[in-house]
Amino acid sequence: MSGTTNFSSSSNSKPVIDNALHALGFVYTQISPEKVTGRLKVTLTCCQPFKVLNGGVSALIAESTASLGGYVASGYGRVAGVQLSVNHLKPAALGEEIEAEAKPIHLGRTTQVFKGVSWSQVFANSSSCMSRRPSMYAQGWNT
């Protein structure tokens, strides 16, 4: 992969990049060193009993998109998250589609920090979830 990779939503041969998110129906739409984006339709599989998106799913999206962004931004080196902070601001209800985006706010020699934002089409002008995920480069770790 070099530069930006866009994944067409009409293709049936999309690679499975993240098994956990794929199982929930998350689809990556752009992967680049500058930004990782994707979308998820809120289904019963990813809802709380109150029929809103489970906060753990929001955290999984934040972690996974930041990890993939860190991997690409590092030149495809191994990175490891050291902390994840997720703030849920508004609910995403059953049937809504959410968009997610992760962008680097710091790419240093030994650490990275990614900011994640997700929003539903209902709240198109404001975030439903915001996250911050620092990571460190993991050279020398066994795969």
Side-chain angles (χ1 to χ4, degrees):
M1 254 190 251
S2 66
T4 299
T5 302
N6 287 299
F7 295 95
S8 166
S9 60
S10 62
S11 172
N12 290 333
S13 62
K14 288 179 277 215
V16 174
I17 296 169
D18 184 305
N19 288 325
L21 284 180
H22 179 75
L24 294 173
F26 187 86
V27 176
Y28 285 99
T29 55
Q30 179 181 344
I31 300 170
S32 75
E34 296 81 26
K35 179 169 54 172
V36 174
T37 62
R39 67 175 59 96
L40 172 75
K41 181 155 183 137
V42 180
T43 64
L44 285 173
T45 302
C46 54
C47 275
Q48 304 178 356
F50 308 110
K51 296 191 177 161
V52 296
L53 184 65
N54 186 298
V57 173
S58 298
L60 176 62
I61 291 169
E63 173 73 24
S64 296
T65 55
S67 291
L68 182 56
Y71 171 70
V72 175
S74 72
Y76 306 99
R78 188 166 179 180
V79 296
V82 294
Q83 192 258 341
L84 177 65
S85 173
V86 179
N87 297 316
H88 300 97
L89 308 172
K90 295 180 181 159
L94 178 64
E96 292 180 18
E97 185 169 276
I98 63 163
E99 302 283 332
E101 175 182 274
K103 289 182 172 181
I105 56 175
H106 168 74
L107 295 173
R109 288 185 312 117
T110 58
T111 61
Q112 305 172 335
V113 178
F114 272 74
K115 176 183 178 183
V117 179
S118 62
W119 61 94
S120 72
Q121 292 178 345
V122 172
F123 299 115
N125 294 326
S126 64
S127 303
S128 59
C129 178
M130 296 182 70
S131 63
R132 181 178 170 276
R133 184 200 176 259
S135 61
M136 60 186 283
Y137 298 105
Q139 287 94 3
W141 285 9
N142 293 329
T143 55

